[in-house]
Amino acid sequence: MNYQTQMKRSPLKRLLAIRGMGQVLTVTVGLIILCIVFSFMNPAFFSSRNVGNLLRQIAPILLIGIGQSYVVITANIDLSIGSVVGMSCMISATLMTKGMNPWAAALITLICCLSMGALNGLLISLCKLPPFIATLGTMTIARGIAQIVNGNYNTDSIGEAAEGFRNFFYYGKTFGLYNTIWIAVVLWLVFNFVLMRTRTGRHIYAIGSNLEASRLSGVNVISTTTKAYMVSAFLACVVGLITCATSGMGTMDSGNMYEMYAVAASTIGGVSTLGGQGLLFGTVIGASIWGVLQNGLQFVGAPVAIRNIVIGIIVIVSVLLDIVVRSGKLIKKRK
């Protein structure tokens, strides 16, 4: 289709022509409906205090959702992401309680997490292990490291020396918004640019669409897959540092269930589990739906178990719809 024909389309049709945008718009409507429903059920839902807290709750889920989205777009999955969050929290807190400068501790923690991401990528792309098995193994390794770094105990308080660290990652505000929110916004902008505007981003989509065709066309599959997993590990590290700053200590169960939250944010937002399709704007919506459901159901007194059941059902339905839609398109192409 030539440029003139594209310009004759309506703005809505041009928008829907973007890969994955249709589902993003659908879930955006769903998010708006959820907000309206919860605001009617409890007017305090839209209070400035609750909105601020809600955005701060969404921020870490968005970050791990971005990491999982990178991996899922390559038609893989990262089950280790929650354990890497826990490992990040425990390593950084342990080093700080031993008297290390908080920023030096954060740097060492980042190196450890990136190493775990590189290991994931190489096991899958170089050693040809199934992503489920590879990341299940590294999930267990990362959780074991989180448990062993402080002798199988939660750490003591990271202390007053880490006050600047805690303010940067959690308690501080800039222009009236918590720094956690700004961290999520800046990192989203950076990784959205990488995914949409760089060669690495194009290669990530290409691998997810057709691995063999990408390899034959000159894409370095090993390098690109490893980069995707390192992005996931980097963002898990940041979330671990936020968790450490929030609690003021390291807890061995940090990051539990976060792999589920990461998958929820990406799949609800339209990232296809079949690979090759998805937008990080959709991940923002997916993370927001998760946050609004958790916050709204808490407002109406629903127990944690009910909240988890609702999120689980939504994730299953999102994946099923994606499979049905993609399968239908494939059949039409073959005909």
Side-chain angles (χ1 to χ4, degrees), residues 15-208:
L15 186 64
L16 290 173
I18 299 173
R19 179 170 41 192
M21 183 57 73
Q23 188 167 343
V24 172
L25 294 177
T26 301
V27 295
T28 301
V29 173
L31 174 62
I32 294 170
I33 292 172
L34 277 177
C35 291
I36 293 171
V37 169
F38 284 129
S39 65
F40 275 115
M41 295 176 72
N42 193 324
F45 179 79
F46 269 134
S47 66
S48 58
R49 180 176 180 180
N50 187 59
V51 170
N53 288 330
L54 177 60
L55 291 175
R56 191 159 56 162
Q57 291 169 8
I58 290 171
I61 305 305
L62 171 59
L63 290 173
I64 57 172
I66 293 169
Q68 192 71 267
S69 296
Y70 262 68
V71 172
V72 173
I73 289 171
T74 65
N76 292 305
I77 194 167
D78 187 1
L79 297 179
S80 69
I81 195 165
S83 295
V84 174
V85 170
M87 185 180 79
S88 169
C89 179
M90 281 298 296
I91 290 176
S92 59
T94 300
L95 292 175
M96 281 185 263
T97 57
K98 303 300 182 185
M100 182 176 286
N101 177 279
W103 303 109
L107 179 60
I108 292 173
T109 301
L110 177 60
I111 294 171
C112 294
C113 292
L114 289 177
S115 299
M116 191 64 68
L119 176 61
N120 277 332
L122 292 173
L123 286 173
I124 291 161
S125 61
L126 184 62
C127 301
K128 309 300 182 183
L129 285 181
F132 181 87
I133 299 300
T135 59
L136 186 64
T138 54
M139 175 183 77
T140 309
I141 292 170
R143 185 60 64 185
I145 293 172
Q147 293 168 341
I148 205 172
V149 289
N150 197 49
N152 213 32
Y153 290 100
N154 295 337
T155 71
D156 296 327
S157 170
I158 57 179
E160 295 181 1
E163 184 178 353
F165 169 85
R166 298 188 72 185
N167 284 334
F168 178 83
F169 280 104
Y170 190 72
Y171 289 101
K173 286 186 175 183
T174 303
F175 301 118
L177 288 177
Y178 287 105
N179 288 343
T180 311
I181 301 169
W182 285 114
I183 290 170
V185 169
V186 170
L187 290 178
W188 181 87
L189 289 171
V190 170
F191 287 109
N192 187 63
F193 177 82
V194 170
L195 191 61
M196 302 302 295
R197 301 295 181 185
T198 69
R199 178 182 297 178
T200 297
R202 291 193 295 272
H203 288 177
I204 286 173
Y205 278 111
I207 289 173

